[in-house]
Amino acid sequence: MRISSARKINLIVHIILIISAVAMLVPFVWMVLTSLKTTTEATQIPIRYFPEAPSLRGYIEAIKQSEFPYYYLNTVFTAFMKTVFPVIFSSMAAYAFARIRFPGSSILFVAILSVMMVPNPVFYTPQYMMMSDLGLVNTVTALWITSLISPFATFLLRQFFLSISKELEEAAVLDGCNPFQIYWHIMLPLVRSALVAIVIIQLQWAWNELQWPLIINSSPEKMTLSSGIATLVSMFGTDYPVLMAGAFMAVVPMIVLFFIFQKQFIEGVAFSAHKG
């Protein structure tokens, strides 16, 4: 039985995708296996792939050696604030740039886009100085107050708003809607897929952010999961089962969210990529 060229290509593509998926899963599986090992097994040469007697010692020690309840609460709160506010404010700014003509709008939009070209670490020094002047160093507020708007979200949503027919707005104006009502009741529902994509991107970025939390906060009660886990690494020696256990506990919420909202995640990201 001969296989057509199209089916051969399709088979090759699927094989490549399967191999890629397995390759991406290897670090995660290794993290889980290491978290169940003893310290000796984790550093043993030659490498021991599976723990001889799986143990939860790494998880117990990770909780004992750190403030995981605080890490979780701070991370959830910070991720929420860094997702909700940028989505709201960026969508407002994007609608204004797309539909409202005002002096200097083009220059201001280019200025916002230029921020996307600058690496985040460049902003850390002025942001730290601002937080110091406001007395917010070593507080949870400092973790999110500097991220109230997202240039990327503003740019992406502006492109979506520009693609919507102006006749809808004109009809809404005839019905007596003001600009905010048009934005809230008509425009936002039409860019729901873009909003989902932005929520996904913002949430993932906020959950995994490491540098800024390490810079602005030093108290364990004010740290996030990423910065808290970083403190488990020592220059004199690292207990890898404890470190991997902490890392696994940090990624579990995102894995659960992915499986719950898998369809929305895939649709939102795919739609965003297609639009871009």
Side-chain angles (χ1 to χ4, degrees):
M1 179 178 179
R2 296 186 60 185
I3 302 177
S4 64
S5 298
R7 296 194 65 178
K8 286 182 180 178
I9 294 175
N10 192 38
L11 179 62
I12 293 173
V13 169
H14 276 77
I15 292 174
I16 293 174
L17 290 176
I18 291 172
I19 294 174
S20 301
V22 171
M24 287 187 289
L25 281 174
V26 167
F28 179 77
V29 174
W30 184 259
M31 175 181 67
V32 176
L33 291 176
T34 303
S35 70
L36 299 174
K37 296 177 181 177
T38 63
T39 304
T40 302
E41 290 176 330
T43 57
Q44 185 174 337
I45 300 296
I47 297 174
R48 181 184 291 274
Y49 295 98
F50 299 95
E52 183 175 345
S55 171
L56 296 178
R57 183 196 69 86
Y59 295 89
I60 296 172
E61 290 298 321
I63 295 173
K64 285 182 178 180
Q65 295 179 21
S66 57
E67 302 287 348
F68 254 90
Y70 289 105
Y71 297 166
Y72 266 109
L73 289 175
N74 295 339
T75 303
V76 170
F77 178 74
T78 301
F80 176 81
M81 301 299 280
K82 281 191 171 185
T83 301
V84 172
F85 281 116
V87 169
I88 294 175
F89 293 150
S90 297
S91 64
M92 290 180 178
Y95 176 70
F97 283 122
R99 295 305 203 202
I100 302 175
R101 300 302 174 192
F102 56 91
S105 60
S106 298
I107 297 175
L108 185 57
F109 183 67
V110 171
I112 291 176
L113 288 184
S114 66
V115 176
M116 297 172 57
M117 311 301 172
V118 182
N120 283 336
V122 173
F123 300 108
Y124 291 158
T125 299
Q127 286 176 349
Y128 186 91
M129 294 175 66
M130 290 172 57
M131 295 299 102
S132 179
D133 291 340
L134 294 172
L136 295 177
V137 174
N138 209 32
T139 65
V140 175
T141 303
L143 295 171
W144 59 269
I145 197 68
T146 58
S147 305
L148 296 181
I149 191 167
S150 166
F152 170 75
T154 302
F155 167 74
L156 182 63
L157 287 172
R158 176 181 177 271
Q159 301 308 111
F160 275 84
F161 285 137
L162 287 174
S163 67
I164 298 174
S165 175
K166 289 186 177 180
E167 282 75 11
L168 290 173
E169 289 179 272
E170 294 172 356
V173 171
L174 292 176
D175 288 336
C177 292
N178 58 43
F180 182 80
Q181 289 173 325
I182 295 173
Y183 154 78
W184 186 261
H185 295 291
I186 296 175
M187 304 299 279
L188 277 187
L190 293 176
V191 296
R192 186 177 303 169
S193 296
L195 291 174
V196 171
I198 292 170
V199 167
I200 294 167
I201 295 169
Q202 286 292 129
L203 185 61
Q204 183 182 20
W205 169 72
W207 191 271
N208 296 327
E209 189 179 19
L210 173 62
Q211 287 182 303
W212 179 243
L214 278 176
I215 292 171
I216 198 64
N217 288 345
S218 58
S219 173
E221 293 81 8
K222 308 298 181 182
M223 289 184 175
T224 60
L225 283 167
S226 297
S227 58
I229 291 172
T231 62
L232 295 176
V233 179
S234 170
M235 69 173 64
F236 302 108
T238 300
D239 193 334
Y240 290 102
V242 174
L243 180 63
M244 294 298 103
F248 178 72
M249 288 189 287
V251 302
V252 164
M254 296 302 292
I255 295 174
V256 173
L257 281 177
F258 173 78
F259 281 108
I260 294 175
F261 300 104
Q262 183 177 3
K263 182 179 179 180
Q264 290 82 353
F265 275 30
I266 295 173
E267 286 181 354
V269 174
F271 193 78
S272 172
H274 174 72
K275 188 65 182 179

